[in-house]
Amino acid sequence: MSTNPEIIEQRLKASGHRLTKTRKALLNTLISSARPLSIEDMGAQLKVQGIAVNKTTIYREVDFLLKQKLLEEVRLDPERRYYEFALGTHHHHIRCLSCGAIEDVSSTALEQATKQVKAGTMYQVIDHMMEFAGLCPACQR
Amino acid sequence: MSTNPEIIEQRLKASGHRLTKTRKALLNTLISSARPLSIEDMGAQLKVQGIAVNKTTIYREVDFLLKQKLLEEVRLDPERRYYEFALGTHHHHIRCLSCGAIEDVSSTALEQATKQVKAGTMYQVIDHMMEFAGLCPACQR
DNA sequence: GTACGTGCAAATACTTTGCAGATAA
DNA sequence: TTATCTGCAAAGTATTTGCACGTAC
């Protein structure tokens, strides 16, 4: 099995693109993040790493990585767009409305339900999105 | 069983609000729409009905109706926010990535899956969102 | 060397706010 | 009458674009 860096490098090269320092740092940040990141989050994290990247560049880079299917958008909350590395295992999220904590949700029931929707519609289903929100254990008190 | 207009009027009055001409027209538009509407959509539809409403007013009105739980936000597509009348039956949507058509998806499997997620998490689940996207029959050709 | 990538400034799009006048109850 | 509602202008944000320079390959 190939590792993420190999797959990434291969995809980029195949389309005549480069693995620049900025791009590499951004991808690493996204890959190692425990939760989806907003544009603002990415800028902040890169800054902490000593790599100041212009916001315009991050917008463009996210756009590019989405097209390369290396990133996917997560609609966790209507206010902000979040992005997540796309080569991990498929999963959904639950977000705490009070403190903003985010956890992965993986459920075979969800995957089965998705299959049923696919079977029951005349559409060719290409994408689906499911997110949950509520109160985390700590915030319920 | 009470009709929508009655419930609406009751809720508004209860909180000291009014059923103005603009508000009534906007609600009717949303209630009778076959699909969720964006802010822009609402403005256009009202205009067609001969009721020109300022965009600021629509933003404020949507905000207000969301707080009154008469409207809910539908995240059909990351580019735009859509809203739907909230007193109908609970359902989800599938959207055609090619022509933008939108259909309702109702699936007992989805509801069961939601229950399983609720049962399997320590979170108190308050909200969930599921949307599908793909190609409608016509666009598959 | 050349096409891709980046930063900066400016443009555009989207949404919110402040305030004065209009209107439902 | 009076608190809610509305429109207009302006302020804030978020996102995109143009262009010149920088850099991976």
Side-chain angles (χ1 to χ4, degrees):
Chain A
M1 180 190 164
S2 306
T3 61
N4 280 329
E6 282 168 356
I7 295 173
I8 292 167
E9 198 150 356
Q10 182 186 326
R11 284 208 196 175
L12 293 180
K13 296 286 166 60
S15 52
H17 295 289
R18 298 168 188 168
L19 198 52
T20 61
K21 181 182 136 197
T22 297
R23 181 166 289 162
K24 201 180 290 186
L26 182 57
L27 273 165
N28 282 336
T29 300
L30 284 155
I31 289 172
S32 59
S33 174
R35 45 164 289 173
L37 300 177
S38 67
I39 298 284
E40 206 183 338
D41 292 338
M42 297 177 208
Q45 298 235 4
L46 288 171
K47 198 167 188 178
V48 167
Q49 296 170 41
I51 305 167
V53 179
N54 189 281
K55 193 172 274 189
T56 300
T57 301
I58 301 179
Y59 273 107
R60 266 190 294 228
E61 197 56 29
V62 164
D63 219 54
F64 170 78
L65 295 173
L66 285 170
K67 285 201 187 94
Q68 299 292 317
K69 307 275 187 208
L70 290 173
L71 229 56
E72 54 189 44
E73 179 159 3
V74 182
R75 275 166 276 175
L76 275 178
D77 121 40
E79 307 304 317
R80 216 175 299 278
R81 297 178 179 192
Y82 292 89
Y83 304 89
E84 189 171 66
F85 185 60
L87 303 183
T89 54
H90 181 65
H91 63 274
H92 303 284
H93 305 89
I94 188 163
R95 177 176 55 96
C96 179
L97 294 169
S98 171
C99 71
I102 292 168
E103 277 186 35
D104 290 355
V105 169
S106 59
S107 156
T108 54
L110 280 183
E111 301 317 320
Q112 281 171 7
T114 306
K115 278 183 197 146
Q116 284 206 20
V117 169
K118 283 185 185 174
T121 180
M122 297 299 288
Y123 277 59
Q124 176 192 334
V125 179
I126 294 173
D127 194 20
H128 70 274
M129 185 225 352
M130 304 185 187
E131 306 297 342
F132 296 81
L135 293 177
C136 72
C139 290
Q140 284 175 39
R141 286 176 297 180
Chain B
M1 180 188 164
S2 304
T3 61
N4 280 330
E6 282 170 355
I7 295 174
I8 292 166
E9 198 151 357
Q10 181 186 327
R11 284 208 195 174
L12 293 181
K13 295 287 166 60
S15 52
H17 295 287
R18 298 169 189 169
L19 198 52
T20 61
K21 180 183 137 195
T22 297
R23 182 166 289 161
K24 201 180 290 187
L26 182 57
L27 273 165
N28 282 336
T29 300
L30 284 156
I31 289 172
S32 60
S33 174
R35 46 164 288 174
L37 301 177
S38 67
I39 298 283
E40 206 182 338
D41 292 337
M42 297 176 209
Q45 298 235 4
L46 289 171
K47 198 167 188 178
V48 167
Q49 295 170 40
I51 305 167
V53 180
N54 189 281
K55 193 171 276 191
T56 300
T57 301
I58 301 179
Y59 273 107
R60 266 190 297 227
E61 198 55 29
V62 165
D63 220 54
F64 170 78
L65 295 173
L66 285 171
K67 286 201 186 96
Q68 300 292 317
K69 308 274 188 210
L70 289 173
L71 228 55
E72 53 190 45
E73 179 160 2
V74 181
R75 275 166 277 174
L76 274 179
D77 117 41
E79 308 304 317
R80 216 173 299 277
R81 297 178 180 194
Y82 292 88
Y83 303 88
E84 189 171 66
F85 185 60
L87 303 183
T89 53
H90 182 66
H91 62 275
H92 304 283
H93 305 88
I94 187 162
R95 178 176 54 96
C96 180
L97 295 169
S98 170
C99 71
I102 293 168
E103 277 186 34
D104 291 355
V105 169
S106 59
S107 156
T108 53
L110 280 183
E111 302 316 320
Q112 282 172 7
T114 306
K115 278 183 196 145
Q116 284 206 21
V117 169
K118 283 185 184 174
T121 179
M122 299 298 289
Y123 277 59
Q124 176 193 333
V125 179
I126 293 173
D127 193 20
H128 71 274
M129 185 225 351
M130 303 185 187
E131 305 298 341
F132 296 81
L135 293 176
C136 73
C139 289
Q140 285 175 38
R141 286 176 297 180

